[in-house]
Amino acid sequence: MKYALVIFETDESRHRIRADRDAHRGAYEAWIGQIAAAGKLISGDALETEHITAVTVRKTRDGAPTVAEGPVHAGEETLGGWFVVDVADREEAVELAKGLGTPETVEIWPLLETA
Protein backbone atom coordinates (compact mmCIF):
# COMPACT_ATOMS: atom_id res chain seq x y z
CA MET A 1 0.00 0.00 0.00
CA LYS A 2 1.17 3.50 -0.72
CA TYR A 3 1.16 6.18 1.95
CA ALA A 4 2.11 9.83 1.98
CA LEU A 5 4.29 10.88 4.89
CA VAL A 6 3.41 14.57 5.04
CA ILE A 7 6.04 16.61 6.87
CA PHE A 8 5.10 19.68 8.91
CA GLU A 9 7.83 22.00 10.12
CA THR A 10 7.55 23.21 13.71
CA ASP A 11 9.03 26.17 15.56
CA GLU A 12 11.55 23.73 17.08
CA SER A 13 12.59 22.28 13.73
CA ARG A 14 12.99 25.74 12.20
CA HIS A 15 15.13 26.72 15.20
CA ARG A 16 17.35 23.64 14.71
CA ILE A 17 17.67 24.30 11.00
CA ARG A 18 18.88 27.84 11.67
CA ALA A 19 21.25 26.66 14.44
CA ASP A 20 22.89 23.82 12.48
CA ARG A 21 21.55 23.27 8.97
CA ASP A 22 24.14 20.57 8.15
CA ALA A 23 23.28 18.41 11.19
CA HIS A 24 19.56 18.75 10.54
CA ARG A 25 19.97 17.86 6.89
CA GLY A 26 22.21 14.92 7.78
CA ALA A 27 19.60 13.44 10.12
CA TYR A 28 16.95 13.90 7.44
CA GLU A 29 19.07 12.35 4.70
CA ALA A 30 19.95 9.37 6.93
CA TRP A 31 16.24 8.71 7.55
CA ILE A 32 15.34 8.96 3.86
CA GLY A 33 18.38 6.88 2.94
CA GLN A 34 17.22 4.05 5.19
CA ILE A 35 13.74 4.11 3.65
CA ALA A 36 15.20 4.16 0.13
CA ALA A 37 17.68 1.36 0.91
CA ALA A 38 14.78 -0.78 2.11
CA GLY A 39 13.10 -0.25 -1.29
CA LYS A 40 10.13 1.56 0.24
CA LEU A 41 10.64 5.12 -1.04
CA ILE A 42 8.60 6.01 -4.13
CA SER A 43 9.09 9.78 -4.27
CA GLY A 44 9.30 12.91 -2.20
CA ASP A 45 9.80 16.63 -2.29
CA ALA A 46 10.59 19.41 0.12
CA LEU A 47 8.96 22.81 -0.13
CA GLU A 48 10.86 26.10 -0.12
CA THR A 49 9.74 27.44 3.25
CA GLU A 50 12.63 29.59 4.39
CA HIS A 51 12.56 32.48 1.91
CA ILE A 52 9.14 32.28 0.28
CA THR A 53 5.67 31.78 1.69
CA ALA A 54 2.73 30.03 0.09
CA VAL A 55 -0.03 31.75 -1.85
CA THR A 56 -3.55 30.50 -1.19
CA VAL A 57 -6.31 30.58 -3.82
CA ARG A 58 -9.85 30.06 -2.56
CA LYS A 59 -13.18 30.15 -4.33
CA THR A 60 -16.03 32.20 -2.92
CA ARG A 61 -19.60 30.91 -2.88
CA ASP A 62 -20.20 32.39 -6.30
CA GLY A 63 -17.07 30.68 -7.67
CA ALA A 64 -14.89 33.78 -7.86
CA PRO A 65 -11.26 33.18 -6.90
CA THR A 66 -9.61 35.10 -4.07
CA VAL A 67 -5.85 35.17 -3.60
CA ALA A 68 -4.12 35.61 -0.23
CA GLU A 69 -0.46 35.59 0.76
CA GLY A 70 0.36 32.81 3.19
CA PRO A 71 -0.55 29.17 3.83
CA VAL A 72 -4.11 27.92 4.22
CA HIS A 73 -3.57 27.43 7.95
CA ALA A 74 -1.18 29.85 9.58
CA GLY A 75 0.36 28.66 12.82
CA GLU A 76 3.30 26.91 14.42
CA GLU A 77 3.21 23.92 12.07
CA THR A 78 3.61 24.57 8.36
CA LEU A 79 3.71 22.15 5.46
CA GLY A 80 7.34 21.35 4.65
CA GLY A 81 7.11 18.50 2.16
CA TRP A 82 6.13 14.88 1.71
CA PHE A 83 7.35 11.43 0.85
CA VAL A 84 5.43 8.60 -0.76
CA VAL A 85 6.29 5.15 0.54
CA ASP A 86 5.16 1.68 -0.47
CA VAL A 87 4.69 -0.46 2.63
CA ALA A 88 2.73 -3.51 3.78
CA ASP A 89 0.23 -1.58 5.92
CA ARG A 90 -0.52 1.51 8.00
CA GLU A 91 1.49 0.24 10.94
CA GLU A 92 4.62 0.02 8.83
CA ALA A 93 4.07 3.58 7.61
CA VAL A 94 3.74 4.70 11.23
CA GLU A 95 6.98 2.93 12.16
CA LEU A 96 8.81 4.65 9.30
CA ALA A 97 7.48 8.04 10.42
CA LYS A 98 8.58 7.39 14.00
CA GLY A 99 12.14 6.94 12.74
CA LEU A 100 12.50 10.58 11.66
CA GLY A 101 15.30 11.96 13.84
CA THR A 102 14.27 15.62 13.59
CA PRO A 103 11.43 17.44 15.40
CA GLU A 104 9.02 17.77 12.50
CA THR A 105 5.48 16.44 12.74
CA VAL A 106 4.61 13.64 10.30
CA GLU A 107 1.04 13.08 9.14
CA ILE A 108 0.36 9.73 7.46
CA TRP A 109 -2.22 9.45 4.70
CA PRO A 110 -3.10 6.43 2.56
CA LEU A 111 -3.03 7.23 -1.15
CA LEU A 112 -6.15 6.67 -3.16
CA GLU A 113 -5.24 3.89 -5.53
CA THR A 114 -7.19 3.96 -8.76
CA ALA A 115 -7.72 1.16 -11.23
Side-chain angles (χ1 to χ4, degrees):
M1 296 183 68
K2 291 181 184 168
Y3 285 85
L5 305 181
V6 183
I7 311 297
F8 288 89
E9 294 178 348
T10 63
D11 286 344
E12 176 63 24
S13 69
R14 285 186 288 274
H15 172 73
R16 285 193 188 182
I17 291 168
R18 285 190 294 274
D20 190 345
R21 180 175 306 280
D22 290 340
H24 186 86
R25 186 175 185 108
Y28 225 94
E29 289 175 351
W31 178 65
I32 294 303
Q34 291 171 352
I35 295 171
K40 300 188 181 300
L41 181 64
I42 302 298
S43 65
D45 282 301
L47 300 175
E48 165 56 73
T49 60
E50 190 170 354
H51 305 312
I52 301 171
T53 188
V55 176
T56 300
V57 178
R58 287 190 167 97
K59 299 285 181 142
T60 62
R61 286 184 185 217
D62 65 359
T66 62
V67 178
E69 290 294 324
V72 170
H73 301 286
E76 178 192 338
E77 294 182 323
T78 56
L79 181 61
W82 60 87
F83 297 95
V84 175
V85 295
D86 193 358
V87 294
D89 52 31
R90 181 177 183 262
E91 290 72 28
E92 187 177 4
V94 169
E95 289 304 311
L96 290 178
K98 287 166 54 176
L100 178 58
T102 60
E104 284 86 6
T105 298
V106 182
E107 211 172 67
I108 301 159
W109 286 90
L111 295 187
L112 181 61
E113 300 208 28
T114 57

